[in-house]
Amino acid sequence: DGYISEVTKKGLGTQNLTIISLFRVMAKYIRDDEKKSIIYGIDEPEIGLHPHAQRHLLKSLEKLADYSQVIITTHSSNLVDIYKIENVIRVDRNDGKTFTYQIALSEQQKKILEIHGDSIEEIFFCRRALVVEGKTEAGFFAEASKKIVEAITQEDGSATDRHHSFDINSVSVINGQGDTIWHFVRLIKALHIPFILLIDSDKLSSGLEKCKEIGIITQDNYDRLIAISNDAERKSELRQLNVWVCDVFETALCANAEETILRKIIESINFVKRNWGYANGIQDFSSVTDLSNLRREVINYMSTNKRRRIGHAIAHSLESSEYPTDYVEIIKTVSSL
């Protein structure tokens, strides 16, 4: 920083980098036979470092690990490398006991997760998770959760508010990207993270097969669910197993929506299109006056404009009372798992 002073008077980030630099010098110059006997234990080395420096730090630690054993504890997703997921251990505490979880993935599975691009590393730090099929839903639920506040009565009879914000309740929303959703479900399940799985109604049959294959439902559950002929009853049973089957996102939001809600959705889509580089094809549907036709047009408009930002914008523009009832219940349920 151009200012000469004792290292103890520098910020924590500079102090950490200085110590790690010394480790790297040691690893480079000490004898090879000595390197093998050194174990470096570093507690939260990311403290005081901005995100770019944290990612650079990860590379430095990986180089240090070429010479010696390196063990770090961290609360930063920037220090989780999906491509080296076999080196990552999640530590959890439940009922006064400490548990550790470590998983291995194939090269193909690692590549799918790493290229996903939706901060999948955050999952190692969450307490709960919601897995959805698409990016628009992921953007919607993360923002919508901030508006869901529930009045509850405490044991002493006094009233209080329960906030279901995913940030407050450490809930990560995972975009499963359609049929690749099951890779993410396997990861969450292997890490023993409580989760809710939301799948579209048209995936119910194939979804049951996958749920059985992964172990979300037992063979007995599967046989009983298959024997149920009524879809509504089957969906109700699945909810008890934290698997929610709902209409596709666009239909869930628009099928029964009043005109005011539909107009808000249209403006949300247009806002994103105008400001994020794809303004072509903006529509306002001001000439559509029939409600049924407007609903159909908005569903199609949403279907051809799938973006995380759009889901976020829609949730931001609507009131919580205008959200689909099922979605509100999902937010309440997952934040309380």
Side-chain angles (χ1 to χ4, degrees):
D1 57 9
Y3 175 69
I4 298 175
S5 63
E6 295 178 9
V7 71
T8 54
K9 296 180 180 178
K10 298 291 188 183
L12 285 175
T14 301
Q15 291 181 29
N16 280 352
L17 286 177
T18 302
I19 294 169
I20 290 164
S21 296
L22 289 172
F23 287 161
R24 292 182 65 188
V25 170
M26 289 173 62
K28 184 175 181 180
Y29 289 106
I30 62 176
R31 297 196 314 269
D32 287 343
D33 59 333
E34 290 179 332
K35 292 175 185 176
K36 297 177 182 178
S37 63
I38 294 178
I39 299 175
Y40 296 95
I42 312 174
D43 183 35
E44 298 185 43
E46 75 276 6
I47 291 178
L49 299 182
H50 59 75
H52 299 89
Q54 289 183 27
R55 288 189 285 271
H56 180 67
L57 169 63
L58 177 60
K59 298 304 178 186
S60 297
L61 292 172
E62 288 176 345
K63 288 180 181 177
L64 180 59
D66 289 339
Y67 304 102
S68 306
Q69 174 70 60
V70 178
I71 302 172
I72 69 169
T73 63
T74 182
H75 287 103
S76 172
S77 59
N78 290 315
L79 297 189
V80 175
D81 187 347
I82 291 293
Y83 266 124
K84 298 181 180 179
I85 200 171
E86 62 277 2
N87 294 333
V88 180
I89 299 173
R90 173 180 161 93
V91 182
D92 202 358
R93 191 167 180 81
N94 192 12
D95 292 333
K97 297 179 181 179
T98 300
F99 299 88
T100 60
Y101 306 105
Q102 188 174 17
I103 62 175
L105 299 173
S106 68
E107 290 301 310
Q108 175 74 358
Q109 289 172 324
K110 285 192 230 178
K111 188 173 182 179
I112 289 171
L113 293 173
E114 202 276 338
I115 296 178
H116 181 57
D118 268 358
S119 301
I120 187 65
E121 294 84 4
E122 181 186 302
I123 200 171
F124 287 89
F125 303 92
C126 71
R127 294 179 61 192
R128 309 162 177 91
L130 170 62
V131 191
V132 298
E133 288 197 31
K135 48 195 171 186
T136 317
E137 295 98 302
F140 176 88
F141 277 102
E143 180 64 18
S145 71
K146 300 173 185 177
K147 293 187 177 181
I148 306 300
V149 181
E150 179 184 20
I152 59 173
T153 302
Q154 303 186 95
E155 291 183 3
D156 61 3
S158 62
T160 187
D161 288 338
R162 175 183 292 166
H163 294 262
H164 292 282
S165 164
F166 285 175
D167 290 332
I168 291 175
N169 293 286
S170 300
V171 180
S172 288
V173 184
I174 306 302
N175 166 19
Q177 292 281 58
D179 290 339
T180 63
I181 192 171
W182 305 106
H183 293 290
F184 301 94
V185 173
R186 284 190 180 93
L187 173 61
I188 295 167
K189 194 170 184 301
L191 292 172
H192 291 252
I193 298 168
F195 69 96
I196 280 182
L197 172 62
L198 172 59
I199 57 176
D200 295 339
S201 295
D202 59 354
K203 304 283 182 65
L204 178 54
S205 296
S206 59
L208 281 175
E209 289 284 350
K210 283 292 186 180
C211 286
K212 180 185 69 171
E213 177 187 324
I214 294 173
I216 297 174
I217 61 176
T218 65
Q219 182 66 52
D220 288 343
N221 291 145
Y222 177 80
D223 292 339
R224 186 175 70 256
L225 289 163
I226 288 295
I228 298 173
S229 58
N230 184 288
D231 271 355
E233 186 180 344
R234 187 184 298 174
K235 291 175 183 178
S236 178
E237 287 265 341
L238 279 168
R239 289 183 184 187
Q240 305 307 310
L241 303 169
N242 289 332
V243 178
W244 287 63
V245 182
C246 297
D247 289 334
V248 295
F249 181 68
E250 298 81 10
T251 302
L253 251 66
C254 301
N256 299 305
E258 296 302 320
E259 182 177 357
T260 52
I261 296 175
L262 297 171
R263 298 292 178 192
K264 288 181 182 180
I265 292 172
I266 294 167
E267 179 49 37
S268 297
I269 297 172
N270 290 342
F271 174 82
V272 174
K273 287 172 74 70
R274 280 194 301 268
N275 291 282
W276 273 272
Y278 62 115
N280 290 337
I282 283 181
Q283 301 180 54
D284 62 14
F285 303 104
S286 57
S287 61
V288 182
T289 56
D290 179 77
L291 185 56
S292 296
N293 288 339
L294 183 60
R295 286 170 177 161
R296 185 164 52 252
E297 293 289 351
V298 176
I299 288 172
N300 290 336
Y301 198 38
M302 291 179 67
S303 299
T304 54
N305 290 281
K306 294 179 182 288
R307 297 284 192 284
R308 188 182 185 96
R309 289 190 184 98
I310 285 177
H312 181 112
I314 291 172
H316 185 78
S317 68
L318 298 181
E319 299 299 325
S320 60
S321 59
E322 297 173 320
Y323 297 154
T325 302
D326 282 349
Y327 285 4
V328 174
E329 289 305 311
I330 287 172
I331 289 170
K332 289 181 179 179
T333 304
V334 72
S335 66
S336 305
L337 285 177

